[in-house]
Amino acid sequence: MATSLAGLVNQVKKVMEQRPSRRRIRMLLALVAIVVLAMVVQLIRVQFGPYAPAFAAIEEIVAEQVDKVEPTRGVIYDRDGRVLASNVPLYYLEVEVRQLTETSKKQIAAVLSRALVLPFDDVYSQLTYEWVDEGQLRIRLTREISGGKRWPITVDQIAADVLKGFLEDPEAPDLSGLSLVPAPSRAYPAGSLAGHVIGFVNQKGKGYFGVEGYYDDWLVGRSITIERGYIPLEARLRPDPPAGVNLVLTIDLDIQQMVEDILKQTIEADNAESGQVIVMDPENGEILAMAIWPPLDPNNYEPWLPPEERSEEESEDDEEEPVINPAVAGQFEPGSTFKVLTMAAALDAGLVTPEEEFIDTGQIEVGGHTIRNWDGRAWGSQTMLGCMEHSLNVCLAYVSSEKLGAPMFYEYLRAFGIGKQTGIDLAGEVSGQLRTPRHPDWTESDLGTNAFGQGVSVTSIQLITAVGAIANQGVMVQPHVVLEVVGPDGVYWPKTTVLGQPISRETAETLTNMLTKSLSGETNFAHVAGYQLAGKTGTAQIPGEFGYDPRWTVASFVGWGPVRDPEFLVFVRVDKPQTSPWGSVVAAPVFREIVERLVIMLEIPPDSIYEGLNLEE
Amino acid sequence: MRRRFQAFQQAPWRVQIRLTSGSMLPLIALLIIGGMYLTVNARHARAGRQVLDLQRQQAELLRYNAEMGATLAEMTSPERMYQRALGLGFRYAYPAEIDYILLKDYTPPLPFIAPRPPASTNTGEGMLSPAYTETLGEWLLRWLGW
């Protein structure tokens, strides 16, 4: 044992003492030299070989690129926090041309044409086009829309998830080269509810009309330019662009829904052309509901785009340009609801009292023009209260021409904001038209006709704002639809803006009492049991090219309540009703139906219960 | 010294080994440094990949949340709620059908305040430790307090 171990050790010593082979060292050095040479050759091939352009292109793509980052557009809520406008992801379909294979071209075209109902040939031709020759390595797939224009193909989240599944599944169709690029899009979950108030955003992210248009700069935020690194070594914290503000509207979606339902039923029942209802709080100007018929669905805004944004074909098809939100952008002659302002002016000036007598002969001549009552009758001895109750044109023309006179009459109308914009925070408001003696087209007969709302044009929002002064103790407040503006740094509540005090508190109370009595008399269609309400009907002829159209009217009603402490002011307008032309028949019942539900939604107890509560306290 | 010279003459392969070792040493050093560099870069790249992945995930989640929010809003829209209520047999009440109860010290619900949109974040330059961005010279100067 010891002998064999010693022998082994001797053998190892002999090996260690032998001279190492020169050949082995040379082989080792040669091996190292070959490896180094191979690395150098490969470096040269990468830098200058046939694949050099491809590598350079990849480097170009993944190198830092300057990118514009758009912020998220602000969300719009109703006053109770329900979403009216939000952002949802849409995806563009883009193709990296150099990654396409013959198989993937066909399969991409097949999948997209079936899933998105697109022409196969159209998609396939885009995939097989020689984009590289034009220097384009990445293209966005488009589809043809009307008018020969092409629009980028967009898919929603559901379709995008399916396509992503295909891209990740090796067993699925080969979609090599296809990628989904997210693009923000606006969604309006409530559909056409309050559509005219909200407005819409087009595909380029620009807001039009309503709140989207008026507050577009605030909602859109501010984009920033960053250097975006695509390779891991260049990854770093990315700054977020300043986001747009969120808005809370004064709109109560439940009241809006209720009002829109009733308006729709009325339009259908009376076979009318259009209609509007506005519900406002006269104390602070908050618009609780603004219903317009025909409605606007911001999710399908194309028909409402301005002409310059629509295709030529669409522009030719439209007979006339649709008016977005006619409550602020559409003028009309208000008719007898305007008498409220005339009587307010005369009462405030101390020129008439509610009990003052007037002998109605059935006609009056003002500026050479003969004015008659709505029924052509003479109503005999009437008080001013009776004139309002029976809506006598002759009486009011007498008040404006014989009592007030032109300077005082138009001064009061200006104080009521007629002929001026209210400044409501909705895009597209117009100022209406009031011809005063300074206007070259004014004639003395206007003094008579303006008294009962003909020959003067207002918007619905102007009229309700002016009447709001009577409901609010003489103080006229600016209407608004935004309750809160919420930015990254805090919350801003717009304050109530007082536009003026055209009449005194006493005048407002006096006129309110007159209209309360008149509502319970002539316009009992507007009466709601248990509540004292004030209001006035209106039936206005519609001016045409050759004078007033005898066939059609604008039937309207304006009213407020409860009289003890007004919490709502409602204006109803129905254009060209076919069942009856009269405001008392068409519009007043709408007012009643709305108020019957409104008092419950606003938790306003009947007068008797309210008085009982006060007695207990 | 003579003994060493003699040992060298008897075993010249030791010179060759030494020469080989001498020429291999810089290469090995280079390989070691290269290996360290690759290791650090690989960790850097892994971290960067994680950052990119997290950023993608964040963007996906934000888009998913937005989609869910819009879907929820649509499903709870007044029209849908009204139809469901009608289907359950509810209808609008009229004023005469309402009973009013006086509750003393009743506190009405607070008005809705919308969530704030996200504020813009800093670029992150100021949040990084100098160890990630400064050179050796800069570190030396900082350490010396100059």
Side-chain angles (χ1 to χ4, degrees), chain A residues 120-442:
Chain A
F120 176 88
D121 294 334
D122 185 36
V123 178
Y124 189 66
S125 64
Q126 293 180 62
L127 296 170
T128 51
Y129 187 77
E130 296 297 329
W131 296 102
V132 179
D133 294 343
E134 292 183 8
Q136 288 192 57
L137 304 178
R138 192 177 179 87
I139 59 160
R140 184 171 289 179
L141 295 177
T142 58
R143 61 186 175 105
E144 194 172 325
I145 57 172
S146 59
K149 281 187 180 177
R150 295 196 71 89
W151 210 249
I153 298 172
T154 53
V155 296
D156 60 14
Q157 187 68 52
I158 297 172
D161 286 342
V162 171
L163 291 173
K164 281 179 192 172
F166 281 170
L167 287 166
E168 289 163 7
D169 185 359
E171 305 294 324
D174 180 14
L175 303 181
S176 305
L178 181 69
S179 61
L180 297 151
V181 178
S185 172
R186 205 69 164 156
Y188 302 93
S192 61
L193 200 59
H196 284 276
V197 176
I198 301 168
F200 57 84
V201 172
N202 70 357
Q203 274 217 1
K204 295 174 189 169
K206 181 171 163 50
Y208 283 90
F209 310 109
V211 172
E212 294 275 31
Y214 192 90
Y215 289 96
D216 189 41
D217 289 340
W218 293 21
L219 287 165
V220 79
R222 192 160 46 88
S223 61
I224 58 172
T225 305
I226 61 168
E227 286 180 359
R228 190 193 297 274
Y230 287 95
I231 56 176
L233 290 175
E234 301 294 337
R236 61 174 70 92
L237 190 64
R238 280 201 312 247
D240 292 322
V245 300
N246 291 336
L247 297 178
V248 179
L249 303 190
T250 58
I251 300 290
D252 184 318
L253 220 54
D254 290 326
I255 298 176
Q256 180 78 26
Q257 178 73 55
M258 178 267 291
V259 167
E260 288 203 10
D261 283 346
I262 293 173
L263 179 62
K264 182 185 170 193
Q265 287 164 17
T266 303
I267 298 290
E268 288 169 355
D270 294 320
N271 218 1
E273 182 181 87
S274 58
Q276 302 164 26
V277 175
I278 304 175
V279 179
M280 186 176 91
D281 185 333
E283 193 178 354
N284 53 31
E286 290 177 9
I287 302 294
L288 301 175
M290 184 182 281
I292 315 287
W293 187 274
L296 158 69
D297 184 357
N299 294 307
N300 298 303
Y301 61 82
E302 285 85 1
W304 303 86
L305 277 173
E308 59 272 14
E309 300 245 348
R310 278 181 271 159
S311 68
E312 286 179 13
E313 194 181 291
E314 283 174 335
S315 295
E316 282 168 10
D317 285 344
D318 293 329
E319 291 175 356
E320 57 179 63
E321 196 178 317
V323 177
I324 299 283
N325 201 339
V328 303
Q331 306 175 64
F332 75 110
E333 292 194 8
S336 296
T337 49
F338 205 76
K339 290 171 182 164
V340 171
L341 305 185
T342 306
M343 186 58 67
L347 287 169
D348 194 64
L351 299 170
V352 298
T353 63
E355 299 76 29
E356 182 168 323
E357 198 180 61
F358 170 74
I359 307 296
D360 186 297
T361 60
Q363 64 183 44
I364 186 171
E365 193 171 304
V366 180
H369 180 69
T370 303
I371 292 168
R372 294 185 175 83
N373 289 322
W374 55 272
D375 58 354
R377 280 175 50 199
W379 285 75
S381 176
Q382 294 290 325
T383 61
M384 289 296 128
L385 171 62
C387 289
M388 295 300 288
E389 189 176 344
H390 305 300
S391 199
L392 302 179
N393 297 344
V394 172
C395 178
L396 272 297
Y398 162 80
V399 168
S400 67
S401 58
E402 301 294 331
K403 290 283 187 176
L404 284 164
M408 200 182 299
F409 176 64
Y410 290 109
E411 189 185 328
Y412 268 102
L413 291 189
R414 279 285 185 201
F416 274 113
I418 304 302
K420 287 186 283 190
Q421 293 182 17
T422 63
I424 187 171
D425 45 355
L426 292 173
E429 187 186 13
V430 299
S431 56
Q433 193 180 41
L434 174 68
R435 286 199 302 259
T436 65
R438 278 190 239 169
H439 199 279
D441 292 338
W442 185 86

Side-chain angles (χ1 to χ4, degrees), chain B residues 52-115:
Chain B
L52 289 177
D53 282 344
L54 287 170
Q55 285 174 344
R56 265 194 295 273
Q57 279 181 40
Q58 182 194 34
E60 279 287 326
L61 285 170
L62 287 172
R63 285 194 289 273
Y64 188 71
N65 284 347
E67 176 77 18
M68 289 293 105
T71 306
L72 185 64
E74 194 185 350
M75 292 175 74
T76 55
S77 65
E79 175 64 28
R80 281 210 187 197
M81 292 290 105
Y82 178 61
Q83 294 302 328
R84 286 178 67 182
L86 285 181
L88 289 168
F90 288 96
R91 59 164 177 81
Y92 277 117
Y94 289 96
E97 296 170 319
I98 304 293
D99 291 328
Y100 291 88
I101 303 171
L102 176 65
L103 292 174
K104 289 191 177 171
D105 300 326
Y106 168 71
T107 309
L110 293 171
F112 167 74
I113 294 181

Side-chain angles (χ1 to χ4, degrees), chain A residues 16 18 46 84 116 118 121 179 183 193 195 209 239 244 254 256 293 333 357 377 432 451 455-456 493 495 509 575 613:
Chain A
M16 294 294 289
Q18 278 178 1
V46 167
L84 293 171
L116 306 177
L118 297 168
D121 294 334
S179 61
L193 200 59
F209 310 109
D254 290 326
Q256 180 78 26
W293 187 274
E333 292 194 8
E357 198 180 61
R377 280 175 50 199
V456 54
W493 289 277
K495 294 193 180 114
E509 284 177 8
D575 292 3
L613 292 172

Side-chain angles (χ1 to χ4, degrees), chain A residues 262-263 265-267 269-272 274-275 525 537-539 553-557 572-593:
Chain A
I262 293 173
L263 179 62
Q265 287 164 17
T266 303
I267 298 290
D270 294 320
N271 218 1
S274 58
F525 291 125
T537 58
T539 305
T553 62
V554 173
S556 59
F557 188 93
V572 177
R573 173 183 158 185
V574 181
D575 292 3
K576 299 182 182 177
Q578 294 191 26
T579 51
S580 168
W582 307 111
S584 57
V585 176
V586 172
V590 178
F591 172 84
R592 185 199 68 230
E593 198 174 346

